[in-house]
Every structure is written in C-alpha cells, then in structure tokens.
Amino acid sequence: MTLELLLDAASEASIRDDWERLRAGGHSSLAASTAAANRPHITAVVRADLPVPDLTPIVSILPLEIRLLAPIVFSHSDEARRGVLVRPIRLTPELDALHRRLHAICGPGGDLPHTAPGAWTPHVTLARRLILSQIPEATARLAPAYDGSIVGVRRWDAARRESRILWNS
C-alpha cells in the first residue's frame, strides 16, 4: 500500500503529455496503462499494511509549491539494458518536512528503504523498462523543468487495485 502526493492539474497534464510524447516516439511509457488509477503522483510512503491516516497535521501546508526537474534514469539492478525514466522533484526543506510528517502520522512501520525519511528521492515516473540506449532520444521529446504544486494525497491499495483520495486542496 502507498500514500501518494497528487499534483495540480497543470502539472498532471504536463506529465501526461510527457507520457504521450514518449509513446508517440515508440518508447516505453506510462501512457500505455489505461487503468483508472494510472495518475501522475509522487510516492511518499510504501508499506505492506497502511491504515488510512489522519492527515489533519499536513493539510494546512497544501498546496505546496515544487519544482519538477529534467528527467533522469534509475537503472534496474537486475537488468543493465533498461531503466526507469523519472522526473525528479527538487527536495526542498518544505517537501522534506511534508514527507517526514506523513511518515510520523503513519507511525512506525516497514517502510521500503527508498521511501524512508532521509533516503527518499521524490519523483514522478514517466516510463518503466526504458531501453538505456534510447535515453537521449526519449528525453529530447520531454518538457524542460517547470514549477508545479502538490495539492492532494491518495492511498493506493495495489492488492485490491483501489485508490482513495484522502485530501485534495
């Protein structure tokens, strides 16, 4: 289960445009997923069990201004030819504080290491399994860095394939 940070409408549209530009170029892209829950987001908490948290301590800081940076690739450790294309989010003190508050609200738990406070790299995924040799061509199709905001939080239950908006400003 995850807690995910949701983007403002313009940022979400820009990410969806990135997905479409990748697909139009014949690259791996999240545009290929037609599931209703396929929505641009920043994953903040990942745990096997995640009760619905009380978000009262964070709602006063949303919306939160962010900077969506130029795309980068996280390489797969098990497959050297492919990677995950992401748009990183500048980790400001305010975004770090939001992330830490979310974890505090959720209480102690079995966080995945890459989402734990201090180890988190906030990002929005653009493509999974992108062929590494295609990175220059794929990234040339994408929008440059831009400003946006985080406006909401949702809970995603992968086992049930259900999403629930917990807060939207």
Side-chain angles (χ1 to χ4, degrees), residues 95-105 117-119:
L95 180 55
D96 187 50
L98 171 62
H99 182 248
R100 290 177 187 277
R101 284 184 188 166
L102 278 173
H103 278 264
I105 289 167

Side-chain angles (χ1 to χ4, degrees), residues 5-8 11 42 63-69 88-90 92 95 98 124 146-151:
L5 305 174
L6 302 177
L7 304 173
D8 64 277
S11 297
I42 304 162
L64 178 65
E65 298 300 312
I66 59 170
R67 179 80 174 162
L68 295 98
L69 303 172
I89 310 301
R90 180 175 291 139
T92 61
L95 180 55
L98 171 62
V124 178
Y146 55 93
D147 293 326
S149 60
I150 294 169
V151 297

Side-chain angles (χ1 to χ4, degrees), residues 4 10 14 17 22 32 37 47 70 88 90 104 108 115 121 123 137 152 161:
E4 300 169 345
S14 184
D17 288 347
L22 288 167
R47 295 185 179 171
R90 180 175 291 139
T115 63
T121 302
H123 65 277
E137 180 187 337
R161 306 204 54 78

Side-chain angles (χ1 to χ4, degrees), residues 72-94:
I72 63 170
V73 174
F74 296 151
S75 60
H76 287 288
S77 58
D78 59 338
E79 188 176 343
R81 292 181 10 146
R82 296 189 182 261
V84 179
L85 183 64
V86 305
R87 186 171 289 279
I89 310 301
R90 180 175 291 139
L91 184 58
T92 61
E94 295 82 9

Side-chain angles (χ1 to χ4, degrees), residues 7-161:
L7 304 173
D8 64 277
S11 297
E12 185 168 320
S14 184
I15 293 294
R16 288 183 185 280
D17 288 347
D18 280 346
W19 292 352
E20 287 301 328
R21 284 190 289 272
L22 288 167
R23 178 166 51 184
H27 302 290
S28 171
S29 167
L30 287 186
S33 174
T34 58
N38 184 33
R39 181 176 182 183
H41 65 273
I42 304 162
T43 302
V45 180
V46 179
R47 295 185 179 171
D49 183 38
L50 190 59
V52 175
D54 173 12
L55 297 179
T56 304
I58 67 153
V59 297
S60 65
I61 62 175
L62 295 179
L64 178 65
E65 298 300 312
I66 59 170
R67 179 80 174 162
L68 295 98
L69 303 172
I72 63 170
V73 174
F74 296 151
S75 60
H76 287 288
S77 58
D78 59 338
E79 188 176 343
R81 292 181 10 146
R82 296 189 182 261
V84 179
L85 183 64
V86 305
R87 186 171 289 279
I89 310 301
R90 180 175 291 139
L91 184 58
T92 61
E94 295 82 9
L95 180 55
D96 187 50
L98 171 62
H99 182 248
R100 290 177 187 277
R101 284 184 188 166
L102 278 173
H103 278 264
I105 289 167
C106 293
D111 296 314
L112 286 185
H114 69 279
T115 63
W120 183 53
T121 302
H123 65 277
V124 178
T125 302
L126 302 174
R128 294 184 178 94
R129 301 186 46 75
L130 179 70
I131 297 170
L132 296 180
S133 63
Q134 294 178 347
I135 290 170
E137 180 187 337
T139 56
R141 297 179 158 277
L142 304 176
Y146 55 93
D147 293 326
S149 60
I150 294 169
V151 297
V153 180
R154 78 173 180 175
R155 181 176 174 265
W156 167 246
D157 184 335
R160 292 186 172 149
R161 306 204 54 78

